[in-house]
Amino acid sequence: PPEFDEKKEAVQVIARDAVGNTSFASMYYRVANRRYRPRKNELSTEKLEKIVANLYPSFLSDQAKHTGQAAVEYIPAVRAEEFVERFRVLVEEYPGIVESVLKPLFAKPSESRLWNDRFSRPCGRRVVLNFGDTLTYELDSSSVGRRRIGGFTYRQSRGASVAATNRGKVVYAGRLGAKGNTIVLDHGFGLATLYSHLKDINRLEGDKVDQGEEIATSGSSGLAFYPQLGFEFRLHGLPVRPAEWWDENWLRGHIEDKIASAKTLLGIKSRKTP
């Protein structure tokens, strides 16, 4: 993940059996330190107020579910300061509630590998935000909210086809707070892909999909100011850089060969995933 700090954190292998006995082992790894870009989005008053009016009632409802308390009555904002403060809440607090919804989905991934070979891109190459970018929203050159981008954001025409990047199973399909209409695919072994800000979702939870199969259409739902597609890779729930999973050489050297080696050590006959 972009916030990984080698001085404070470490990567370990954890093994746990059915009764809870746990062992830890260190492993060799190298982290490529990258400089993530600061980005700015200058908003108009009209756009900010429209997003707040559309999304803030959903925030109050989802916040109530998250805390187990009664929902706060929604009263439309009137003053400019109210709109700005509510927008800041949508940008900086709503994502935490979204992650609480996603966490159970990532806690029990499929134990079977579902993906096959390298992943494809979900749509075209018109990327407007990259993994790790810090996006600051500004109104009249003053910051009104900041968030870290956990994947790629593609500029899309409304209603453009969104395809599954590999074989998987739909584990979530519906509205998801600031991410808008969202679909999540489980690819097994703790790997998942997430597609957000959709217009329409064309698959149901539990459906199995193949690589290249249309699963949704792009839109501007949630915290989106124009038709787009938000795309993320999640590894045991953590956002990770998509680029490696599109690279056939990286995938072979870091994933495929490791799996084959482990199978050899365990005496398991290796076969290509169908």
Side-chain angles (χ1 to χ4, degrees):
E3 64 274 11
F4 184 84
D5 186 343
E6 288 186 274
K7 296 179 180 179
K8 299 179 181 179
E9 300 170 297
V11 178
Q12 290 182 311
V13 177
I14 303 173
R16 183 178 297 111
D17 66 17
V19 296
N21 297 311
T22 306
S23 295
F24 300 86
S26 60
M27 60 182 290
Y28 171 78
Y29 61 91
R30 180 176 60 87
V31 177
N33 293 318
R34 298 181 180 272
R35 293 183 178 180
Y36 298 110
R37 300 178 302 173
R39 305 294 295 273
K40 293 182 180 180
N41 188 341
E42 183 67 33
L43 305 176
S44 65
T45 300
E46 292 75 17
K47 286 185 176 181
L48 184 147
E49 292 182 355
K50 182 178 179 180
I51 283 289
V52 170
N54 290 340
L55 201 54
Y56 197 72
S58 297
F59 165 75
L60 294 178
S61 176
D62 290 341
Q63 182 187 50
K65 295 176 183 177
H66 177 63
T67 61
Q69 299 176 352
V72 176
E73 180 184 359
Y74 171 67
I75 301 175
V78 177
R79 296 180 295 110
E81 294 82 0
E82 290 179 301
F83 280 106
V84 169
E85 181 54 34
R86 291 183 179 187
F87 182 80
R88 192 185 304 277
V89 166
L90 294 177
V91 172
E92 299 180 355
E93 296 185 23
Y94 212 171
I97 295 176
V98 169
E99 291 303 314
S100 71
V101 176
L102 291 172
K103 188 175 181 179
L105 301 178
F106 299 135
K108 295 183 179 181
S110 171
E111 296 181 359
S112 299
R113 170 180 161 170
L114 304 178
W115 86 83
N116 185 29
D117 298 325
R118 72 179 180 89
F119 285 70
S120 58
R121 297 175 186 269
C123 55
R125 295 174 177 267
R126 193 179 177 189
V127 177
V128 292
L129 292 171
N130 287 284
F131 176 81
D133 286 352
T134 300
L135 177 61
T136 300
Y137 295 96
E138 293 188 346
L139 181 67
D140 297 329
S141 299
S142 297
S143 174
V144 292
R146 182 179 291 107
R147 67 186 179 100
R148 178 66 72 90
I149 306 301
F152 280 10
T153 300
Y154 294 87
R155 186 69 179 259
Q156 287 285 88
S157 58
R158 188 180 303 277
S161 177
V162 176
T165 56
N166 216 313
R167 190 174 59 169
K169 179 181 178 181
V170 179
V171 292
Y172 187 91
R175 186 183 66 83
L176 190 60
K179 291 186 180 296
N181 296 329
T182 300
I183 188 166
V184 180
L185 300 183
D186 175 13
H187 300 287
F189 288 5
L191 184 64
T193 51
L194 187 151
Y195 313 73
S196 58
H197 305 301
L198 304 171
K199 178 179 181 288
D200 298 309
I201 296 174
N202 301 334
R203 293 293 179 268
L204 300 174
E205 292 179 15
D207 285 354
K208 293 182 179 179
V209 298
D210 290 324
Q211 186 176 34
E213 185 177 335
E214 181 179 293
I215 55 175
T217 58
S218 60
S220 55
S221 57
L223 188 60
F225 294 94
Y226 49 81
Q228 61 186 248
L229 170 67
F231 175 73
E232 301 176 31
F233 268 96
R234 296 292 186 104
L235 192 57
H236 297 289
L238 289 174
V240 294
R241 294 183 71 248
E244 282 86 1
W245 297 89
W246 293 326
D247 186 330
E248 186 173 359
N249 291 329
W250 182 91
L251 192 63
R252 183 185 304 112
H254 290 79
I255 305 297
E256 304 290 357
D257 290 350
K258 306 295 185 184
I259 293 175
S261 176
K263 285 183 174 181
T264 299
L265 290 172
L266 294 170
I268 299 173
K269 186 177 181 180
S270 182
R271 65 181 181 86
K272 187 175 180 63
T273 304

